[in-house]
Amino acid sequence: MIDDALAQAVSLLASTVRLAVPLVLASLAGLFAERSGVVDIGLEGKMLSGAFAAASVAHLSGSPWAGLAAAIAVSIALAMVHAYACITQRGNQVVAGMAINVLAVGLTVVLAYAWFNEGGNTPALPDPARFKAIVLPLARALADVPVLGRVYAGLVSGHNVIVYMTVALIPVVSFAVFRTRFGLRLRAVGENPHAVDTAGISVAALRYRAMVACGTLCGIAGAYLSIAQGAAFQREMTAGRGFLALAALIFGKWMPVPAVLACLLFAFADAVQGRLQGVSLPGIGVVPVQAIQALPYLLTVLLLAGFVGRAVAPKASGIPYNKEK
Amino acid sequence: MEGVPALALAGVDKSFGAVHANRAIDLSVAQGSIHGIVGENGAGKSTLMGIAYGYYRPDAGTIRVDGRVVEISEPQDAIRAGIGMVHQHFMLVETFTVLENILLGAEGGALLARGEAEARAGLARLMAEYALEVDLDARVADLDVGAQQRVEILKALWRGARILILDEPTAVLTPQETDRLFALLAKWRDQGRTVLLITHKLREILAITDRVTVMRRGAVVATLETARTSQAELAELMVGRRVLLKVDKRAAVPGAEILRAEGLRHVDARGIERLRGISFAVHAGEIVGIAGVAGNGQSELIEALAGLKPLAGGRILFKGAPVDPPGSADACRSARARRIAHVPEDRLRMGLVASFAARESAILGYHDDADLGSGPFLDPDATRTRTNRLMEAFDVRPRLPELRSANFSGGNQQKLVLGREIDRDPELLIVGQPTRGVDIGAIEFIHRRLVDLRDAGKAILLVSCELDEILSLADRILVMFDGRIAGELPRAAADERQLGLLMAGVAAAA
Amino acid sequence: MKNVALAALFAACLAGPAMAQNAPAVTFDVGGKFDRSFNQAAYDGAEKFKKETGVQYAEFEVRNAAEREQSIRNLARRGASVVVAVGFNNRSAVETVAREFPNVKFTIIDSVVELPNVQSVVFREHEGSFLVGMLAAMASKSGKVGFVGGMDIPLIRKFYKGYEEGAKFANPKADVLMNMTGTTPAAFNDPTRGAELARGQFDRGVDVVYAAAGATGLGVYQAAKDAHKLAIGVDSNQDHLHPGTMLSSMIKRVDVAVYNAMIGARNGTWKAGVTVLGLKEEGVGWSLDEFNRKLVTPEMEKKVNEARAAIIAGKIKVTDVTAAR
Amino acid sequence: MKGELPRWVDLGLLPAVNLLAALALSSLVVLAIGVNPLAALAILVRGAVGYPEAWGYTLYYATNFVFTGLAVAVAFHAGLFNIGGEGQAYVAGLGATLVCLGLDALPGFLVVPLAILAAAAFGAAWGAIPGWLQARRGSHVVITTIMFNFLASALMTYMLSNVLLDPTYGSPETRHFAPHATVWKLTDIAARFGFEAPRSPLNAATLLALAAAAFVWVYVWRTRAGYALRTVGANEQAARYAGIDPARTIIAAMAISGALAGLMAVNEVMGSQQRMVLAFTGGYGFVGIAVALMGRNHPVGVCLAALLFGALYQGGSDLAFEISTINRDLVIVIQGLVILFCGALENMFRPALAAFFARERAAA
């Protein structure tokens, strides 16, 4: 009985981890953009284009690594379009993000349709072209060891390489933001770009670099969806994850670790959601599936409304930098 | 004054679109001197310094540092050439610590840890040498403005500046703090460093500089030896005509009490108590001036009185009756209905809407007036008519009600706001920084209208950081320090030294 | 240069619709003809017709509600020998257009339009689902089988109910876990979520999963393969997708229906009226081929075929949730 | 720095140049998939306006876009970016449906206006809640409106699969509304006068759209409430100074925005489909964003941009019909590029145009 409960807990947490990965990556991507002063609702579009590029190139080359590289490259390219609009042309950042999203939805499908003739999807990938689950050393052997072995085999082991990459990235990003020159400048430029400018640092160059970081992480997130967790690109396969990631970022007050925790919370809600469907709750009976499916979204709204209060965004985010003001 | 100039600008020209901000400027600053630059708002001083600091690119002209031509196209170049700058609006990241602010742009490596240790040691030396104490680990947002300025100066020094440009450094200082700053500048000069001091306060120029350059409308009109000039001469050069430096007015004839504040307290969003029990009264037919260094609660006070900022304690009585609790949704509206008018400190932040046509800014706060349309509708012709009348009465130029508010000069914007508020015949006018960023001609006009309003028996509460303005307009002077009234003096009994001590929180209430 | 451009413009204007005389036409539903499932079955039928007769059919993939009527009318107007509308969503559009064009033949799949020039083909999906439900329960070692649906709508519940009854029939103690993917049209296009839902079920002990969720199912099958579990395909024969993983497919012979309509219109055997295709008519069924031969034991095969006979004979009643209302 | 342009350039030429840039880039995409862009354009144009039925569809699509575009524009004037038009319209469909199905015992002249009001009211409510959350709780309206789109989907899928569905067919759609409880189509009106109009879903909601555009113009620029709304949008501090309650104004703006988006349901549910179907909003709510940006948030501009997008949708449909390698999502690409060029990059060509006109003026 206890064993079963443990197995269920491990399974739920492992599911949480898998669901959290794209959110965490996108959320950290958003962190770079927003800390630099660029509000980014275009995470969704960058991820989507990354997913498409990854699946296409992995299909053509047979190598997931080539796919990952392509995802990053395409996502960065889109981030540069975003950056050009927001930084160089000082356009409305939210509108630019929206444009990126719409463009990505349309372009991925049009190109997939034309290139692969599979109705806007890419062909299913064979195993060698995907990132497969990695069984860590001794996982099999330890699987029967109570508790720790179970957790090791079920939760720690058995993920694909992007999951581990993401876990490794969290402290790296945290360190980069708080302990490096780049991070110091990044945090400064989102708060007071004039201060950065007068300190002899180019605001535009800094923001472009932040957007490169943002694009990179979004690309990895996209690749995760299409060539690690999934095995092909489908139209609109990001399904709102970019927006959830943004909500998590706000909920995490633009700090890496709290944002990651918020992502885990959303992912947990999602994982629980899948397990609650059709389950009869004591006293309530079977809740309509749709009500349970709405749970993560409802949770987002409630968190934003209730617990965050007025989140203080980087002061300069959303405002194009204009020297003459 | 011999030798190669520390900084020399030749033929510097800069336009922003249609605005010709700098016209063929020649300027030579001698090594080891303090050089003043004066001029009205919009004369081009800040643009010129921005060019010297690499903030703007000149359209033409050359810059020499120590005789060598240098290409300064961004601040990095200026810093490398040994130029440092203390901006009028501090260039600090408020959420950062002092140390982080100083490190920004001079981190000393890709990782922060090493540079930090180095900076701590170096800064300790600098602070000791120049008496510039600040807590390196304090958050800038928690520092007072004087300390923030010290951070700015430390920043420039840490970057090895030999030529220091200070843009209106005394605007936020008490007279005593100003003296301290000037002592520091003098020490530098004696060490062979060079200082450029931009200000519009002529007394300061005369007190500290060696030479002074006067600018008007983007051009240099004169460069003089400070010892051989006078305040009147400089003022005339600045404006291009003779200027009345004093407002002439009769003695006040105070009437009934109009406004009474009792123990006002305000706590801001960050939990800092900005008003700590303010009590005073304003009577009909008098101008009460509130002096003080910026950031001591004056802004919060006038916004609370106007109904914008909520109170944590105390009450406000208007003609003996309590007003609606400030900060509530309808407080501003009801204040206006009682004929309490408010000219806010910052016209672009609050006084008008930059993107609106002048006729739309001219009804801000009065858009529910019955004569502006019937029922829920707003009649554009009615707003145009009213705006024309205001523009006529307050000499707003150009007289174009459809022109965007942002396209008027600061003085004309201010006249439009003042006109709008006076037009409704207020019982009480609350006015903050009425002449900030306004040219001398408009200052005279605005001062005149305030005195006229007083003479018409209205009560005026004037908040200004310009001691001169307070001294020339107020009938009674209150000094604010750290959220309290530090003292009250009748105009006749007030002198600058005493006010300065009160502003610094040194002297007790008189 | 300009002249060339103008010439191209005119040429394109004058070319007009290219449609062979007396050729049939088909409109696919949202999801498109390459969903490897329902629409693709229709596509296969049309392709078969083309291959046999050499006649190029006209086609259209619908994206929004307004296009249904428009495309069906367009195809009718251009003289299609028969217009095949795939999907229950087309009912209203077919009804309208069929009245406008009383001399044109229409075939609607998955819904009923009672007009003299309309042939309606509906399937008894619950019967086919019953059989694969049995297979699932028999192949399951844990006694737990799973179902992943696209959206919680009556049609999908029909699949589920039949499946559940089949599973319980084969093993009265069988547990059937159910998940629905989402509430937006993307629910049929979210393989990532499908995979996660499947993994959630596997973690709860499920070892055979049946997906009725369009392209989302692809994620379910992939997850089953990754986890070394079994999966059951839907609509088309999907056994070839992952040999060794795909236990079977619940085949819904949309291809036959489409082919019959097209070839019937050509031969003059096309008849209006309602056709209900169940096990008896071989309109639904289960797949057994070289890809899953090894997974289905002779005993399983025997039992399923017995049940099939019993259903046809009316000895076993399978609940049709859509009829019950 | 502000290169002031002649009004006609600012409002006419600049958007046209931006649009052209978007189309030029789109044609590169078309070229990339191996189709002659000019041929594609010809089909697009012919498909959009080349024959009477095409006009019907173009105007019908445009009607949707006028509503959703106006919704975005009104919110925009209050400084809000309402991405929730999709969900607001979806839930508004529920309002219209409940009245049309539940109260169809009433005569048409009662049930139709009631249903329209219900659509507006449901849409308004679905918009006002994110407005309230923004104004009172500080939750960013962009994110909450997106979440409300998902919530609307969940709600409507439940309603359509469990409560409202037509039992005879068992598919997630309601029964047809009684004929008197619908908005007349052009074909019906023409039939009444003995004509035959081209077959299309075009219906009287198009007139409602024009009325809504007129309403928005009057409300935003000719009323005190509209003045308050624009003040809050342009400078919230100034609004507070002027005694305007930003919170109340934001909630009102979102309610009006939601109501306008909701009226789209009148065109879709009451006019075109005359019943409620799953996902009838078809992404029109998102197109409204492009329409509002393209139309510079002015009702006249929104109407013109809606017409353009209506033409793109109808033409795109024909394009997909004629050229099998191109699919409809090309229209989404164009839409994205239009948002990019007319929205985010709106000022890219401004300096060049300003310089050109400055030269012209100098020469004159």
Side-chain angles (χ1 to χ4, degrees):
Chain A
M1 196 56 211
I2 291 169
D3 231 31
D4 194 47
L6 177 70
Q8 286 313 308
V10 167
S11 144
L12 188 63
L13 292 178
S15 174
T16 301
V17 168
R18 290 190 298 268
L19 289 167
V21 165
L23 294 180
V24 168
L25 288 167
S27 199
L28 295 177
L31 185 133
F32 280 108
E34 303 226 333
R35 279 283 188 162
S36 84
V38 178
V39 165
D40 194 354
I41 69 163
L43 297 173
E44 182 89 0
K46 286 170 207 154
M47 261 162 94
L48 188 64
S49 60
F52 173 67
S56 306
V57 171
H59 169 71
L60 297 173
S61 69
S63 155
W65 293 103
L68 179 64
I72 292 172
V74 167
S75 174
I76 289 177
L78 220 49
M80 289 302 98
V81 172
H82 194 174
Y84 176 74
C86 298
I87 301 166
T88 308
Q89 290 294 335
R90 299 184 196 136
N92 182 318
Q93 302 179 350
V94 175
V95 171
M98 193 71 205
I100 297 289
N101 289 342
V102 175
L103 202 56
V105 168
L107 215 47
T108 51
V109 175
V110 166
L111 293 179
Y113 194 91
W115 290 344
F116 302 109
N117 198 24
E118 292 208 8
N121 301 339
T122 62
L125 295 171
D127 280 351
R130 291 174 61 221
F131 289 116
K132 296 279 291 171
I134 299 168
V135 178
L136 294 184
L138 298 180
R140 290 247 163 74
L142 292 174
D144 294 328
V145 175
V147 190
L148 281 182
R150 274 284 186 78
V151 171
Y152 179 71
L155 187 55
V156 181
S157 168
H159 295 292
N160 63 63
V161 67
I162 295 184
V163 176
Y164 298 112
M165 219 191 267
T166 306
V167 173
L169 267 170
I170 297 165
V172 169
V173 168
S174 202
F175 182 84
V177 169
F178 291 111
R179 295 270 178 274
T180 68
R181 176 171 60 195
F182 172 69
L184 182 77
R185 294 177 171 190
L186 179 80
R187 284 180 288 136
V189 77
E191 285 290 334
N192 187 352
H194 294 276
V196 170
D197 197 351
T198 51
I201 306 159
S202 161
V203 171
L206 199 46
R207 288 188 171 167
Y208 268 98
R209 281 165 65 196
M211 290 306 284
V212 169
C214 170
T216 307
L217 291 173
C218 281
I220 301 174
Y224 176 79
L225 291 178
S226 69
I227 64 172
Q229 201 179 24
F233 170 83
Q234 264 86 21
R235 64 160 61 227
E236 290 171 64
M237 76 185 301
T238 42
R241 288 179 181 86
F243 294 109
L244 278 179
L246 203 59
L249 183 62
I250 295 171
F251 186 41
K253 305 209 166 181
W254 290 270
M255 311 271 258
V257 172
V260 168
L261 291 177
C263 290
L264 285 169
L265 181 66
F266 286 155
F268 183 73
D270 205 356
V272 169
Q273 182 262 107
R275 284 161 173 78
L276 275 183
Q277 286 186 16
V279 175
S280 184
L281 297 178
I284 305 170
V286 176
V287 180
V289 170
Q290 290 85 359
I292 292 170
Q293 286 172 328
L295 213 64
Y297 307 115
L298 209 56
L299 183 71
T300 308
V301 171
L302 290 178
L303 285 179
L304 286 178
F307 296 92
V308 191
R310 259 169 219 278
V312 184
K315 207 185 277 171
S317 70
I319 310 158
Y321 178 58
N322 192 343
K323 263 188 198 200
E324 284 136 39
K325 273 186 190 154
Chain B
M1 302 273 153
E2 267 84 7
V4 180
L7 179 69
L9 307 179
V12 169
D13 214 276
K14 175 74 184 173
S15 293
F16 297 109
V19 181
H20 204 162
N22 283 165
R23 300 163 193 262
I25 304 279
D26 292 323
L27 176 70
S28 173
V29 182
Q31 199 89 46
S33 75
I34 297 180
H35 193 117
I37 297 181
V38 292
E40 282 203 76
N41 286 295
K45 300 171 302 212
S46 293
T47 303
L48 186 65
M49 292 304 104
I51 289 170
Y53 192 64
Y55 212 50
Y56 305 124
R57 244 172 219 273
D59 300 332
T62 55
I63 303 171
R64 280 168 209 271
V65 176
D66 298 332
R68 277 193 320 275
V69 174
V70 286
E71 176 76 23
I72 297 182
S73 54
E74 49 184 276
Q76 192 77 63
D77 301 327
I79 293 168
R80 222 174 284 128
I83 301 174
M85 184 153 177
V86 176
H87 292 80
Q88 183 179 4
H89 303 289
F90 297 146
M91 296 296 174
L92 296 172
V93 181
E94 294 212 322
T95 52
F96 278 19
T97 64
V98 170
L99 185 64
E100 284 178 314
N101 266 292
I102 293 173
L103 278 176
L104 187 66
E107 296 86 349
L111 301 183
L112 292 181
R114 220 194 57 210
E116 254 177 45
E118 237 169 70
R120 269 180 205 282
L123 287 169
R125 236 180 18 251
L126 282 175
M127 286 194 282
E129 184 179 353
Y130 295 107
L132 282 167
E133 290 81 17
V134 276
D135 175 3
L136 290 181
D137 296 310
R139 254 168 46 111
V140 163
D142 300 331
L143 299 179
D144 64 41
V145 278
Q148 291 188 2
Q149 188 175 60
R150 291 200 289 279
V151 177
E152 281 282 26
I153 293 171
L154 272 175
K155 228 168 92 177
L157 292 183
W158 179 241
R159 285 165 170 71
R162 289 169 295 112
I163 303 168
L164 196 64
I165 304 170
L166 295 115
D167 190 358
E168 301 280 3
T170 61
V172 294
L173 302 182
T174 62
Q176 284 77 8
E177 281 176 319
T178 304
D179 290 345
R180 237 175 82 186
L181 174 69
F182 285 176
L184 176 68
L185 298 185
K187 184 170 177 183
W188 277 338
R189 168 180 52 194
D190 300 342
Q191 291 178 345
R193 296 188 207 231
T194 309
V195 175
L196 256 103
L197 181 68
I198 303 168
T199 181
H200 66 279
K201 293 181 185 169
L202 301 178
R203 272 179 307 119
E204 294 176 354
I205 291 288
L206 294 172
I208 182 82
T209 63
D210 301 308
R211 303 181 82 203
V212 56
T213 295
V214 185
M215 290 184 71
R216 186 169 78 222
R217 292 189 185 174
V220 169
V221 288
T223 297
L224 308 161
E225 297 289 329
T226 306
R228 286 185 218 138
T229 183
S230 70
Q231 204 162 334
E233 186 190 14
L234 288 175
E236 202 175 322
L237 282 167
M238 266 166 70
V239 184
R241 64 181 165 86
R242 294 190 75 78
V243 185
L244 289 171
L245 289 168
K246 279 261 180 280
V247 186
D248 68 322
K249 57 172 187 170
R250 295 176 280 131
V253 190
E257 180 181 286
I258 298 294
L259 175 74
R260 166 166 290 279
E262 287 179 357
L264 304 186
R265 289 177 55 243
H266 169 73
V267 178
D268 73 6
R270 286 174 42 220
I272 298 169
E273 194 171 8
R274 294 294 184 183
L275 299 179
R276 302 162 183 260
I278 301 269
S279 302
F280 65 93
V282 184
H283 297 82
E286 70 166 346
I287 299 178
V288 173
I290 296 189
V293 174
N296 276 291
Q298 303 96 312
S299 309
E300 288 80 2
L301 176 63
I302 53 177
E303 290 191 13
L305 293 174
L308 283 161
K309 281 256 188 316
L311 290 178
R315 58 178 193 157
I316 301 167
L317 300 170
F318 179 71
K319 289 172 142 183
V323 302
D324 285 24
S328 66
D330 294 314
C332 283
R333 205 173 272 269
S334 85
R336 270 195 191 85
R338 285 166 210 252
R339 310 226 319 270
I340 301 175
H342 170 208
V343 175
E345 290 184 309
D346 187 338
R347 56 187 166 270
L348 286 174
R349 190 171 65 92
M350 211 181 251
L352 43 76
V353 179
S355 60
F356 276 10
R359 66 171 175 83
E360 291 177 310
S361 282
I363 60 165
L364 190 67
Y366 301 97
H367 57 279
D368 282 336
D369 284 2
D371 64 322
L372 291 177
S374 56
F377 296 103
L378 205 54
D379 178 9
D381 287 330
T383 64
R384 221 169 280 131
T385 308
R386 177 183 288 193
T387 309
N388 273 320
R389 193 181 75 222
L390 293 181
M391 289 180 148
E392 191 73 34
F394 285 83
D395 191 32
V396 179
R397 284 179 241 191
R399 288 213 176 128
L400 297 173
E402 295 294 341
L403 189 65
R404 267 161 50 101
S405 308
N407 292 357
F408 288 84
S409 73
N412 283 302
Q413 288 173 347
Q414 191 70 1
K415 284 193 278 185
L416 187 66
V417 173
L418 189 72
R420 179 184 72 208
E421 297 304 318
I422 294 183
D423 182 63
R424 305 309 286 169
D425 189 27
E427 294 273 354
L428 167 69
L429 178 69
I430 303 166
V431 51
Q433 319 294 351
T435 58
R436 180 186 278 170
V438 166
D439 53 78
I440 287 192
I443 291 176
E444 287 179 298
F445 184 90
I446 289 167
H447 283 179
R448 191 67 253 157
R449 298 306 294 245
L450 291 176
V451 172
D452 287 349
L453 191 68
R454 179 202 72 165
D455 291 347
K458 310 297 182 188
I460 297 179
L461 180 69
L462 165 76
V463 171
S464 176
C465 293
E466 299 280 346
L467 213 43
D468 290 342
E469 184 163 67
I470 295 278
L471 287 169
S472 59
L473 286 179
D475 301 309
R476 218 149 39 91
I477 299 171
L478 306 174
V479 180
M480 275 186 81
F481 175 76
D482 194 25
R484 292 195 177 86
I485 303 282
E488 176 177 343
L489 301 163
R491 167 64 187 96
D495 69 47
E496 203 165 293
R497 197 194 64 86
Q498 198 179 1
L499 286 174
L501 290 173
L502 287 169
M503 283 160 73
V506 177
Chain C
M1 188 58 210
K2 208 170 179 182
N3 284 337
V4 176
L6 279 177
L9 208 78
F10 273 113
C13 285
L14 293 175
M19 186 161 163
Q21 205 50 40
N22 220 11
V26 56
T27 67
F28 300 103
D29 207 345
V30 178
K33 60 187 176 187
F34 294 112
D35 65 354
R36 288 183 230 190
S37 189
F38 177 66
N39 286 295
Q40 191 150 8
Y43 171 71
D44 290 343
E47 283 293 301
K48 183 177 172 212
F49 168 83
K50 183 167 100 180
K51 213 155 142 203
E52 281 181 12
T53 61
V55 175
Q56 172 66 48
Y57 60 92
E59 61 174 327
F60 192 77
E61 285 177 285
V62 166
R63 280 300 305 287
N64 63 49
E67 273 182 4
R68 297 182 191 286
E69 196 176 306
Q70 187 184 19
S71 61
I72 293 170
R73 182 178 293 116
N74 262 335
L75 294 167
R77 185 186 294 142
R78 292 180 189 195
S81 60
V82 60
V83 178
V84 184
V86 179
F88 64 82
N89 285 320
N90 289 309
R91 184 177 57 78
S92 171
V94 167
E95 201 170 350
T96 309
V97 181
R99 281 187 217 279
E100 289 170 29
F101 294 88
N103 298 323
V104 176
K105 301 183 180 74
F106 295 88
T107 294
I108 180 160
I109 312 278
D110 262 5
S111 190
V112 175
V113 174
E114 286 176 18
L115 284 174
N117 57 334
V118 180
Q119 179 189 58
S120 310
V121 183
V122 291
F123 295 87
R124 299 173 67 79
E125 294 93 348
H126 47 292
E127 294 182 351
S129 298
F130 185 94
L131 299 187
V132 294
M134 284 179 67
L135 275 175
M138 288 185 287
S140 169
K141 295 190 183 77
S142 64
K144 285 186 182 170
V145 298
F147 176 86
V148 175
M151 205 188 277
D152 186 23
I153 53 175
L155 179 69
I156 300 300
R157 284 189 209 143
K158 189 174 172 185
F159 283 83
Y160 170 67
K161 192 70 189 163
Y163 177 72
E164 186 190 25
E165 288 183 354
K168 300 255 187 201
F169 179 81
N171 174 7
K173 280 189 257 167
D175 244 348
V176 185
L177 273 64
M178 181 270 282
N179 275 121
M180 295 294 181
T181 309
T183 57
T184 59
F188 289 98
N189 230 336
D190 194 348
T192 320
R193 183 172 289 273
E196 197 48 52
L197 291 173
R199 292 189 71 154
Q201 293 189 351
F202 299 150
D203 288 340
R204 281 179 285 167
V206 166
D207 53 4
V208 187
V209 64
Y210 175 37
T216 301
L218 299 176
V220 174
Y221 311 146
Q222 188 71 47
K225 182 176 177 234
D226 292 350
H228 308 289
K229 309 284 181 185
L230 296 173
I232 298 171
V234 78
D235 292 347
S236 292
N237 183 343
Q238 297 179 310
D239 295 354
H240 64 280
L241 289 177
H242 303 289
T245 296
M246 301 304 289
L247 175 64
S248 181
S249 295
M250 197 294 279
I251 299 176
K252 176 172 166 185
R253 300 311 297 262
V254 177
D255 53 340
V256 175
V258 171
Y259 171 80
N260 284 345
M262 288 184 168
I263 205 86
R266 188 175 165 80
N267 302 340
T269 55
W270 183 93
K271 269 211 291 293
V274 181
T275 313
V276 180
L277 300 178
L279 288 175
K280 189 166 141 198
E281 299 79 13
E282 302 206 333
V284 294
W286 64 292
S287 60
L288 185 62
D289 54 26
E290 75 268 31
F291 300 110
N292 66 339
R293 182 65 267 184
K294 274 185 239 154
L295 298 173
V296 180
T297 63
E299 190 202 0
M300 284 160 72
E301 188 183 345
K302 181 166 154 264
K303 281 200 172 156
V304 170
N305 281 334
E306 279 169 14
R308 181 172 173 272
I311 293 170
I312 291 171
K315 283 185 213 142
I316 298 177
K317 289 263 183 284
V318 186
T319 311
D320 177 357
V321 290
T322 53
R325 294 186 70 98
Chain D
M1 198 58 198
K2 267 166 248 111
E4 294 275 327
L5 290 171
R7 218 174 131 78
W8 70 271
V9 177
D10 203 20
L11 296 179
L13 187 60
L14 191 60
V17 169
N18 288 332
L19 181 66
L20 221 59
L23 287 180
L25 222 57
S26 310
S27 60
L28 285 184
V29 175
V30 174
L31 208 59
I33 57 183
V35 173
N36 178 354
L38 285 171
L41 184 68
I43 296 170
L44 197 70
V45 171
R46 188 188 154 277
V49 294
Y51 51 100
E53 192 184 306
W55 270 105
Y57 273 89
T58 295
L59 289 174
Y60 145 77
Y61 284 119
T63 302
N64 281 340
F65 301 150
V66 170
F67 287 127
T68 55
L70 288 174
V72 175
V74 166
F76 205 88
H77 283 292
L80 301 161
F81 197 46
N82 177 12
I83 313 194
E86 193 80 1
Q88 288 144 18
Y90 208 173
V91 172
L94 180 62
T97 304
L98 289 177
V99 173
C100 288
L101 291 180
L103 300 179
D104 60 1
L106 296 176
F109 69 87
L110 278 179
V111 67
V112 170
L114 273 177
I116 294 174
L117 282 180
F122 274 57
W126 210 250
I129 300 169
W132 183 85
L133 289 167
Q134 161 96 58
R136 303 277 183 213
R137 311 289 317 173
S139 334
H140 202 301
V141 79
V142 168
I143 294 180
T144 45
T145 49
I146 289 167
M147 294 304 138
F148 267 69
N149 287 341
F150 286 112
L151 293 177
S153 282
L155 173 69
M156 297 305 286
T157 307
Y158 177 77
M159 294 303 286
L160 278 171
S161 324
N162 297 288
V163 183
L164 293 173
L165 85 173
D166 179 354
T168 44
Y169 297 102
S171 50
E173 56 187 44
T174 65
R175 67 171 165 85
H176 273 92
F177 300 159
H180 72 274
T182 61
V183 171
W184 282 355
K185 286 188 186 173
L186 180 63
T187 45
D188 304 334
I189 300 168
R192 214 158 248 253
F193 292 101
F195 297 107
E196 200 181 336
R199 293 280 171 178
S200 77
L202 185 62
N203 63 75
T206 306
L207 301 176
L208 184 66
L210 291 175
F215 163 80
V216 167
W217 184 78
V218 170
Y219 183 82
V220 172
W221 281 283
R222 286 292 180 270
T223 69
R224 302 178 198 266
Y227 178 86
L229 181 127
R230 285 187 295 128
T231 307
V232 169
N235 185 339
E236 194 172 317
Q237 302 237 39
R240 279 168 31 77
Y241 163 78
I244 298 163
D245 182 355
R248 236 178 276 161
T249 310
I250 284 171
I251 297 168
M254 282 302 290
I256 292 173
S257 178
L260 286 165
L263 288 179
M264 192 199 109
V266 175
N267 188 41
E268 264 312 311
V269 176
M270 295 172 66
S272 165
Q273 301 288 330
Q274 310 200 331
R275 80 209 142 108
M276 166 103 103
V277 300
L278 209 58
F280 74 84
T281 44
Y284 304 132
F286 295 113
V287 183
I289 298 163
V291 167
L293 291 172
M294 172 90 218
R296 307 216 136 200
N297 297 305
H298 191 283
V300 174
V302 165
C303 286
L304 292 174
L307 197 60
L308 174 77
F309 272 91
L312 268 178
Y313 259 64
Q314 163 54 20
S317 186
D318 267 25
L319 191 58
F321 214 108
E322 306 295 344
I323 301 180
S324 61
T325 46
I326 291 187
N327 78 344
R328 223 82 28 82
D329 295 279
L330 182 65
V331 175
I332 299 180
V333 175
I334 299 177
Q335 186 186 324
L337 289 169
V338 167
I339 298 178
L340 189 65
F341 281 95
C342 296
L345 294 174
E346 61 174 345
N347 292 326
M348 189 160 69
F349 298 109
R350 186 183 283 276
L353 282 178
F356 176 75
F357 283 98
R359 258 202 313 276
E360 289 289 288
R361 240 170 313 185

